């Protein structure tokens, strides 16, 4: 993700606190692997960012599903995700005098139901606080408008209305599979109250 990194964010958040600008609502941090970090070093990268920010945020979302960071979605694989979550929960449980921070995982809408089931299994085993469904999609709907066809040729994730049906389908599946054991945060393609209700 394009940003100054965890140390820069930590400095910014510290300044908010010192200046009395801290918001009344919970503050969450989206953790993502650096673009230059190799996949086999991802767990350490996530852990370093979490360690730098743990004392500043109220909850953390482990983003392994953005299509905008090359190969990041490979970290949704059961073994890779388990390694990341194990490293994060080890740090999370080891903070003296502080309760663990809620950790959630954000999933892609393009995963098969079998792959989503594996993520649920890992999330439950690693005592996550919930799942966020879904990130943006790499699929493109069929359209006739040549202008939109050209837009869809751009790389990266597609969000908004074209994502709504699949995102809702993923939420339904996760709800059935988790049976209330994990809170679910539904995002993706919501543009009205009826979309959110659905």
């Amino acid at each position: 993700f394009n940003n100054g990194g965890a140390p820069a964010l930590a400095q910014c958040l510290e300044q908010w606190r010192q200046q009395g600008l801290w918001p009344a609502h919970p503050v969450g941090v989206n953790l993502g692997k650096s673009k230059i970090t190799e996949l086999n070093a991802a767990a350490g990268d996530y852990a370093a960012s979490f360690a730098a920010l743990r004392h500043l945020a109220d909850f953390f979302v482990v983003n392994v599903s953005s299509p905008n960071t090359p190969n990041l979605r490979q970290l949704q694989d059961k073994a890779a995700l388990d390694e990341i979550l194990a490293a994060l929960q080890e740090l999370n449980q080891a903070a003296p005098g502080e309760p663990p921070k809620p950790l959630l995982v954000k999933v892609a809408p393009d995963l098969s139901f079998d792959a989503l089931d594996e993520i649920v299994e890992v999330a439950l085993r690693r005592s996550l606080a919930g799942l966020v469904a879904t990130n943006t999609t790499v699929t493109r709907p069929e359209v006739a408008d040549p202008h939109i066809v050209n837009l869809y040729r751009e790389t990266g994730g597609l969000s908004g209305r074209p994502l709504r049906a699949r995102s809702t389908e993923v939420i339904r599946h996760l709800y059935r599979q988790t049976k209330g054991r994990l809170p679910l945060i539904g995002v993706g393609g919501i543009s009205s109250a009826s979309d959110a209700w659905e």
Side-chain angles (χ1 to χ4, degrees), residues 1-116:
F1 311 110
N2 295 331
N3 62 71
L9 179 59
Q11 183 179 14
C12 177
L13 294 178
E14 290 280 12
Q15 288 173 349
W16 283 7
R17 282 208 169 138
Q18 292 166 5
Q19 296 168 7
L21 300 174
W22 198 257
H25 58 74
V27 174
V29 169
N30 187 52
L31 293 174
K33 177 188 83 64
S34 171
K35 186 176 181 177
I36 60 172
T37 301
E38 297 293 331
L39 288 179
N40 60 5
D45 197 39
Y46 280 91
S49 294
F50 181 62
L53 297 163
R54 186 193 183 285
H55 66 290
L56 292 165
D58 298 303
F59 67 95
F60 292 83
V61 177
V62 182
N63 190 336
V64 287
S65 55
S66 171
N68 301 323
T69 301
N71 302 316
L72 184 74
R73 286 186 166 195
Q74 292 178 35
L75 298 177
Q76 292 176 112
D77 171 77
K78 186 177 179 179
L81 181 59
D82 190 56
E83 183 182 358
I84 292 165
L85 296 178
L88 292 174
Q89 287 293 43
E90 184 177 341
L91 284 172
N92 202 17
Q93 303 297 328
E98 288 186 47
K101 297 290 176 140
L103 293 176
L104 302 94
V105 167
K106 190 171 191 179
V107 300
D110 309 307
L111 291 173
S112 69
F113 286 163
D114 287 344
L116 289 167

Side-chain angles (χ1 to χ4, degrees), residues 116-136:
L116 289 167
D117 292 347
E118 289 186 349
I119 290 174
V120 167
E121 181 187 327
V122 173
L124 290 168
R125 185 170 63 249
R126 292 297 175 190
S127 303
L128 291 194
L131 298 171
V132 180
T134 66
N135 212 318
T136 57

